[in-house]
Amino acid sequence: KGAEAQFSFKSAERPLRITFNAGSEIPVASALGAQLANLQDDWEKLLYVPGTSHQVEANRSLITLFRDQAADNFTEVLPEIRPDAEVSEQDLKTRDLVLFGGIEENSLLARLAEEGKLPVEFGKGYFRFQGRSYGKPEDGIAFAIPNPWNPRRMIYVYSANTRLQLWQMTKAYQRGLPGWALWKGSEITSRGYHGSAGLTVTFP
């Protein structure tokens, strides 16, 4: 009920290592708790943001399809779609943002990448995540992070090396995804929670 709590556990043998909240089941105020499934938490605060650097109509069609799929699974209310160039500083601080596209087409994603606020490194036709590069046309990634402009809000990123792959991974809404997911075509090849650095204690 409060900001802090204490718990005690008994072990028949000496523990070797303890990892707190390994599966993110406990809702703690931490970047590690950001999950793609949180997109449904505060529906009225969502703002869908397609990139407008090129192929504007294609980007808007993709994000509209994804928004409508998510709404069909949850509610009849359709959150607003607003191009990246029209998102205000007030929106950045008060809304949960769903960013579509890569850094070459979505200026907000490019801004976050330039400021080093993303767990993914994006390049032209590739992205790098957890020490591995993904450069094939059928590679895509989605992840959730706390909003850097307001940590009490969220940012959800859906990006791929090609527009066809972005459609493949967002043509149907996937429920219950953790902090990040990797796609190859329409299949999720890997998923997981954000790293637990600082939340693991190893005993000497």
Side-chain angles (χ1 to χ4, degrees):
K1 295 182 179 180
E4 297 182 1
Q6 294 183 357
F7 301 90
S8 297
F9 302 92
K10 293 183 178 181
S11 174
E13 300 179 356
R14 178 180 175 81
L16 301 177
R17 183 177 64 188
I18 295 176
T19 300
F20 175 74
N21 209 19
S24 293
E25 296 93 347
I26 306 171
V28 296
S30 166
L32 303 177
Q35 298 186 41
L36 290 164
N38 293 135
L39 183 142
Q40 297 180 337
D41 289 351
D42 199 355
W43 194 252
E44 295 182 356
K45 288 291 185 179
L46 280 178
L47 181 61
Y48 285 79
V49 184
T52 56
S53 295
H54 55 274
Q55 299 197 19
V56 177
E57 290 305 319
N59 291 333
R60 185 175 181 87
S61 295
L62 280 176
I63 203 169
T64 300
L65 174 64
F66 179 73
R67 180 200 64 175
D68 294 353
Q69 290 283 348
D72 286 344
N73 281 272
F74 182 61
T75 178
E76 295 181 355
V77 177
L78 294 177
E80 181 183 1
I81 296 175
R82 191 180 304 170
D84 54 350
E86 299 178 12
V87 176
S88 68
E89 291 296 321
Q90 182 68 12
D91 292 326
L92 298 179
K93 297 176 182 178
T94 60
R95 308 289 292 270
D96 293 327
L97 307 174
V98 184
L99 305 183
F100 254 54
I103 58 174
E104 294 183 315
E105 53 197 7
N106 195 306
S107 60
L108 285 182
L109 187 65
R111 177 177 171 182
L112 290 169
E114 184 177 353
E115 296 174 358
K117 295 178 178 177
L118 299 175
V120 179
E121 176 188 346
F122 288 101
K124 187 175 182 179
Y126 79 93
F127 60 88
R128 187 169 178 80
F129 178 62
Q130 294 185 347
R132 182 177 176 184
S133 294
Y134 298 84
K136 294 184 177 180
E138 63 271 21
D139 288 332
I141 188 170
F143 58 90
I145 58 172
N147 186 333
W149 294 287
N150 178 1
R152 297 182 66 84
R153 306 241 60 94
M154 298 282 289
I155 288 181
Y156 308 93
V157 175
Y158 290 82
S159 186
N161 292 337
T162 61
R163 191 165 285 101
L164 176 60
Q165 175 54 32
L166 187 57
W167 172 75
Q168 288 276 20
M169 58 189 275
T170 59
K171 62 183 179 181
Y173 179 66
Q174 301 274 359
R175 298 175 65 93
L177 290 179
W180 56 267
L182 290 167
W183 271 263
K184 190 170 290 290
S186 59
E187 300 295 325
I188 295 177
T189 59
S190 184
R191 68 185 75 188
Y193 299 95
H194 294 294
S196 57
L199 295 183
T200 298
V201 178
T202 301
F203 294 87

